[in-house]
mmCIF file of all heavy atoms in Angstrom:
data_model
loop_
_atom_site.group_PDB
_atom_site.id
_atom_site.type_symbol
_atom_site.label_atom_id
_atom_site.label_comp_id
_atom_site.label_asym_id
_atom_site.label_seq_id
_atom_site.Cartn_x
_atom_site.Cartn_y
_atom_site.Cartn_z
ATOM 1 N N THR A 59 123.352 112.858 111.355
ATOM 2 C CA THR A 59 122.959 113.909 110.401
ATOM 3 C C THR A 59 121.786 114.708 110.919
ATOM 4 O O THR A 59 120.667 114.719 110.399
ATOM 5 C CB THR A 59 122.598 113.354 109.020
ATOM 6 O OG1 THR A 59 121.567 112.313 109.168
ATOM 7 C CG2 THR A 59 123.817 112.794 108.329
ATOM 8 N N PRO A 60 121.974 115.455 112.073
ATOM 9 C CA PRO A 60 120.895 116.216 112.650
ATOM 10 C C PRO A 60 120.447 117.288 111.655
ATOM 11 O O PRO A 60 121.160 117.709 110.750
ATOM 12 C CB PRO A 60 121.536 116.812 113.890
ATOM 13 C CG PRO A 60 122.978 116.826 113.612
ATOM 14 C CD PRO A 60 123.261 115.625 112.803
ATOM 15 N N GLY A 61 119.204 117.798 111.903
ATOM 16 C CA GLY A 61 118.667 118.824 111.012
ATOM 17 C C GLY A 61 117.189 118.661 110.893
ATOM 18 O O GLY A 61 116.430 119.552 111.210
ATOM 19 N N HIS A 62 116.737 117.465 110.478
ATOM 20 C CA HIS A 62 115.352 117.164 110.467
ATOM 21 C C HIS A 62 114.845 116.869 111.825
ATOM 22 O O HIS A 62 113.752 117.362 112.246
ATOM 23 C CB HIS A 62 115.099 115.956 109.545
ATOM 24 C CG HIS A 62 113.626 115.570 109.396
ATOM 25 N ND1 HIS A 62 112.725 116.377 108.845
ATOM 26 C CD2 HIS A 62 112.961 114.403 109.731
ATOM 27 C CE1 HIS A 62 111.504 115.775 108.817
ATOM 28 N NE2 HIS A 62 111.663 114.573 109.408
ATOM 29 N N THR A 63 115.612 116.126 112.606
ATOM 30 C CA THR A 63 115.463 115.991 114.051
ATOM 31 C C THR A 63 116.824 116.030 114.668
ATOM 32 O O THR A 63 117.806 116.007 113.971
ATOM 33 C CB THR A 63 114.799 114.644 114.461
ATOM 34 O OG1 THR A 63 115.686 113.560 114.090
ATOM 35 C CG2 THR A 63 113.452 114.414 113.723
ATOM 36 N N ARG A 64 116.872 116.164 116.000
ATOM 37 C CA ARG A 64 118.170 116.262 116.696
ATOM 38 C C ARG A 64 119.038 115.023 116.443
ATOM 39 O O ARG A 64 120.196 115.038 116.373
ATOM 40 C CB ARG A 64 117.968 116.479 118.149
ATOM 41 C CG ARG A 64 117.451 117.841 118.495
ATOM 42 C CD ARG A 64 117.488 118.082 120.007
ATOM 43 N NE ARG A 64 116.946 119.407 120.366
ATOM 44 C CZ ARG A 64 115.693 119.639 120.650
ATOM 45 N NH1 ARG A 64 114.843 118.650 120.622
ATOM 46 N NH2 ARG A 64 115.237 120.859 120.911
ATOM 47 N N GLY A 65 118.314 113.888 116.428
ATOM 48 C CA GLY A 65 119.038 112.599 116.321
ATOM 49 C C GLY A 65 118.982 111.865 114.995
ATOM 50 O O GLY A 65 119.164 110.647 114.943
ATOM 51 N N SER A 66 118.602 112.581 113.958
ATOM 52 C CA SER A 66 118.554 111.905 112.601
ATOM 53 C C SER A 66 119.905 111.325 112.277
ATOM 54 O O SER A 66 120.956 111.922 112.493
ATOM 55 C CB SER A 66 118.159 112.919 111.548
ATOM 56 O OG SER A 66 116.793 113.318 111.604
ATOM 57 N N VAL A 67 119.828 110.111 111.723
ATOM 58 C CA VAL A 67 121.046 109.449 111.272
ATOM 59 C C VAL A 67 120.868 108.887 109.906
ATOM 60 O O VAL A 67 119.735 108.612 109.406
ATOM 61 C CB VAL A 67 121.482 108.293 112.232
ATOM 62 C CG1 VAL A 67 121.828 108.800 113.634
ATOM 63 C CG2 VAL A 67 120.489 107.196 112.272
ATOM 64 N N CYS A 68 121.990 108.644 109.190
ATOM 65 C CA CYS A 68 121.999 107.888 107.957
ATOM 66 C C CYS A 68 122.736 106.623 108.182
ATOM 67 O O CYS A 68 123.567 106.536 109.148
ATOM 68 C CB CYS A 68 122.662 108.662 106.829
ATOM 69 S SG CYS A 68 121.851 110.235 106.390
ATOM 70 N N TYR A 69 122.523 105.637 107.405
ATOM 71 C CA TYR A 69 123.152 104.330 107.541
ATOM 72 C C TYR A 69 123.881 104.055 106.207
ATOM 73 O O TYR A 69 123.303 104.112 105.142
ATOM 74 C CB TYR A 69 122.194 103.210 107.848
ATOM 75 C CG TYR A 69 121.475 103.337 109.159
ATOM 76 C CD1 TYR A 69 120.190 103.862 109.225
ATOM 77 C CD2 TYR A 69 122.117 102.959 110.360
ATOM 78 C CE1 TYR A 69 119.539 103.947 110.438
ATOM 79 C CE2 TYR A 69 121.514 103.123 111.585
ATOM 80 C CZ TYR A 69 120.201 103.603 111.628
ATOM 81 O OH TYR A 69 119.580 103.771 112.823
ATOM 82 N N LYS A 70 125.210 103.717 106.317
ATOM 83 C CA LYS A 70 126.009 103.486 105.124
ATOM 84 C C LYS A 70 126.509 102.066 105.162
ATOM 85 O O LYS A 70 127.138 101.622 106.117
ATOM 86 C CB LYS A 70 127.205 104.475 105.112
ATOM 87 C CG LYS A 70 128.117 104.277 103.902
ATOM 88 C CD LYS A 70 129.098 105.450 103.765
ATOM 89 C CE LYS A 70 130.105 105.503 104.860
ATOM 90 N NZ LYS A 70 131.163 104.459 104.701
ATOM 91 N N ALA A 71 126.270 101.329 104.072
ATOM 92 C CA ALA A 71 126.726 99.924 103.957
ATOM 93 C C ALA A 71 127.324 99.766 102.584
ATOM 94 O O ALA A 71 126.545 99.782 101.585
ATOM 95 C CB ALA A 71 125.542 98.947 104.178
ATOM 96 N N GLY A 72 128.569 99.627 102.498
ATOM 97 C CA GLY A 72 129.204 99.561 101.171
ATOM 98 C C GLY A 72 128.941 100.871 100.389
ATOM 99 O O GLY A 72 129.212 101.945 100.896
ATOM 100 N N LYS A 73 128.326 100.701 99.206
ATOM 101 C CA LYS A 73 127.980 101.885 98.378
ATOM 102 C C LYS A 73 126.502 102.254 98.529
ATOM 103 O O LYS A 73 125.945 102.938 97.651
ATOM 104 C CB LYS A 73 128.397 101.665 96.946
ATOM 105 C CG LYS A 73 129.927 101.692 96.706
ATOM 106 C CD LYS A 73 130.456 103.074 97.071
ATOM 107 C CE LYS A 73 131.971 103.193 96.819
ATOM 108 N NZ LYS A 73 132.497 104.507 97.125
ATOM 109 N N GLU A 74 125.834 101.709 99.561
ATOM 110 C CA GLU A 74 124.460 101.992 99.772
ATOM 111 C C GLU A 74 124.339 103.050 100.935
ATOM 112 O O GLU A 74 124.971 102.882 101.980
ATOM 113 C CB GLU A 74 123.644 100.755 100.142
ATOM 114 C CG GLU A 74 124.048 99.489 99.321
ATOM 115 C CD GLU A 74 123.880 99.654 97.851
ATOM 116 O OE1 GLU A 74 123.160 100.567 97.374
ATOM 117 O OE2 GLU A 74 124.446 98.837 97.095
ATOM 118 N N LEU A 75 123.565 104.084 100.725
ATOM 119 C CA LEU A 75 123.436 105.159 101.729
ATOM 120 C C LEU A 75 121.914 105.388 101.972
ATOM 121 O O LEU A 75 121.194 105.902 101.058
ATOM 122 C CB LEU A 75 124.063 106.428 101.194
ATOM 123 C CG LEU A 75 124.154 107.649 102.145
ATOM 124 C CD1 LEU A 75 124.894 107.331 103.432
ATOM 125 C CD2 LEU A 75 124.738 108.826 101.410
ATOM 126 N N PHE A 76 121.468 105.115 103.168
ATOM 127 C CA PHE A 76 120.068 105.251 103.550
ATOM 128 C C PHE A 76 119.968 106.597 104.369
ATOM 129 O O PHE A 76 120.470 106.719 105.469
ATOM 130 C CB PHE A 76 119.639 104.037 104.424
ATOM 131 C CG PHE A 76 119.780 102.786 103.726
ATOM 132 C CD1 PHE A 76 121.003 102.020 103.848
ATOM 133 C CD2 PHE A 76 118.797 102.247 102.874
ATOM 134 C CE1 PHE A 76 121.169 100.843 103.223
ATOM 135 C CE2 PHE A 76 118.997 101.040 102.194
ATOM 136 C CZ PHE A 76 120.217 100.355 102.359
ATOM 137 N N THR A 77 119.262 107.542 103.722
ATOM 138 C CA THR A 77 119.320 108.928 104.193
ATOM 139 C C THR A 77 118.103 109.423 105.018
ATOM 140 O O THR A 77 118.040 110.528 105.419
ATOM 141 C CB THR A 77 119.650 109.889 103.076
ATOM 142 O OG1 THR A 77 118.613 109.773 102.091
ATOM 143 C CG2 THR A 77 120.983 109.574 102.436
ATOM 144 N N GLY A 78 117.074 108.571 105.159
ATOM 145 C CA GLY A 78 115.902 108.995 105.946
ATOM 146 C C GLY A 78 115.364 110.307 105.360
ATOM 147 O O GLY A 78 115.182 110.486 104.159
ATOM 148 N N ASP A 79 115.012 111.181 106.251
ATOM 149 C CA ASP A 79 114.488 112.519 105.862
ATOM 150 C C ASP A 79 115.559 113.622 105.910
ATOM 151 O O ASP A 79 115.238 114.789 106.112
ATOM 152 C CB ASP A 79 113.288 112.877 106.744
ATOM 153 C CG ASP A 79 112.055 112.073 106.436
ATOM 154 O OD1 ASP A 79 112.171 111.143 105.539
ATOM 155 O OD2 ASP A 79 111.026 112.304 107.001
ATOM 156 N N THR A 80 116.790 113.190 105.701
ATOM 157 C CA THR A 80 117.871 114.205 105.584
ATOM 158 C C THR A 80 118.058 114.650 104.148
ATOM 159 O O THR A 80 117.828 115.803 103.815
ATOM 160 C CB THR A 80 119.186 113.660 106.194
ATOM 161 O OG1 THR A 80 119.014 113.397 107.559
ATOM 162 C CG2 THR A 80 120.308 114.699 106.025
ATOM 163 N N LEU A 81 118.419 113.724 103.318
ATOM 164 C CA LEU A 81 118.644 114.000 101.895
ATOM 165 C C LEU A 81 117.613 113.325 101.067
ATOM 166 O O LEU A 81 117.413 112.114 101.086
ATOM 167 C CB LEU A 81 120.050 113.505 101.479
ATOM 168 C CG LEU A 81 120.435 113.611 100.050
ATOM 169 C CD1 LEU A 81 120.462 115.127 99.583
ATOM 170 C CD2 LEU A 81 121.805 112.990 99.804
ATOM 171 N N PHE A 82 116.949 114.147 100.173
ATOM 172 C CA PHE A 82 116.014 113.604 99.229
ATOM 173 C C PHE A 82 116.559 113.899 97.832
ATOM 174 O O PHE A 82 117.526 114.657 97.638
ATOM 175 C CB PHE A 82 114.631 114.317 99.320
ATOM 176 C CG PHE A 82 113.907 114.062 100.583
ATOM 177 C CD1 PHE A 82 113.191 115.103 101.214
ATOM 178 C CD2 PHE A 82 113.937 112.823 101.171
ATOM 179 C CE1 PHE A 82 112.502 114.851 102.382
ATOM 180 C CE2 PHE A 82 113.227 112.593 102.377
ATOM 181 C CZ PHE A 82 112.554 113.652 102.956
ATOM 182 N N CYS A 83 115.929 113.302 96.800
ATOM 183 C CA CYS A 83 116.271 113.668 95.422
ATOM 184 C C CYS A 83 115.916 115.136 95.169
ATOM 185 O O CYS A 83 114.786 115.501 95.243
ATOM 186 C CB CYS A 83 115.535 112.728 94.475
ATOM 187 S SG CYS A 83 115.863 113.056 92.749
ATOM 188 N N LEU A 84 116.942 115.929 94.914
ATOM 189 C CA LEU A 84 116.811 117.337 94.625
ATOM 190 C C LEU A 84 116.213 118.226 95.734
ATOM 191 O O LEU A 84 115.825 119.304 95.505
ATOM 192 C CB LEU A 84 115.984 117.562 93.334
ATOM 193 C CG LEU A 84 116.591 116.899 92.047
ATOM 194 C CD1 LEU A 84 115.638 117.147 90.891
ATOM 195 C CD2 LEU A 84 117.947 117.521 91.782
ATOM 196 N N SER A 85 116.255 117.615 96.975
ATOM 197 C CA SER A 85 115.778 118.485 98.079
ATOM 198 C C SER A 85 116.283 117.879 99.423
ATOM 199 O O SER A 85 117.168 116.953 99.386
ATOM 200 C CB SER A 85 114.200 118.517 98.092
ATOM 201 O OG SER A 85 113.680 117.248 98.350
ATOM 202 N N CYS A 86 115.728 118.289 100.523
ATOM 203 C CA CYS A 86 116.145 117.808 101.813
ATOM 204 C C CYS A 86 114.896 117.838 102.748
ATOM 205 O O CYS A 86 113.858 118.357 102.364
ATOM 206 C CB CYS A 86 117.286 118.609 102.396
ATOM 207 S SG CYS A 86 116.847 120.288 102.831
ATOM 208 N N GLY A 87 115.062 117.260 103.936
ATOM 209 C CA GLY A 87 113.978 117.172 104.827
ATOM 210 C C GLY A 87 113.644 118.495 105.503
ATOM 211 O O GLY A 87 114.419 119.459 105.486
ATOM 212 N N ARG A 88 112.395 118.554 106.006
ATOM 213 C CA ARG A 88 111.932 119.746 106.687
ATOM 214 C C ARG A 88 112.717 120.002 107.969
ATOM 215 O O ARG A 88 113.216 119.086 108.625
ATOM 216 C CB ARG A 88 110.440 119.656 107.001
ATOM 217 C CG ARG A 88 109.553 119.533 105.787
ATOM 218 C CD ARG A 88 108.138 119.297 106.156
ATOM 219 N NE ARG A 88 107.572 120.310 107.025
ATOM 220 C CZ ARG A 88 106.285 120.394 107.320
ATOM 221 N NH1 ARG A 88 105.374 119.555 106.780
ATOM 222 N NH2 ARG A 88 105.842 121.313 108.149
#
């Protein structure tokens, strides 16, 4: 999920999604 950095990633495990600085509640990363 690049955008915040070139190599930003999210981790998905079952129904859990760890989004780092890509997706925030009602916003997104710089």
Side-chain angles (χ1 to χ4, degrees):
T59 53
H62 182 62
T63 65
R64 289 188 182 91
S66 287
V67 299
C68 297
Y69 296 101
K70 179 166 71 73
K73 288 298 182 181
E74 320 301 343
L75 183 62
F76 302 91
T77 58
D79 286 5
T80 298
L81 175 62
F82 297 142
C83 180
L84 299 176
S85 66
C86 67
R88 294 174 60 168

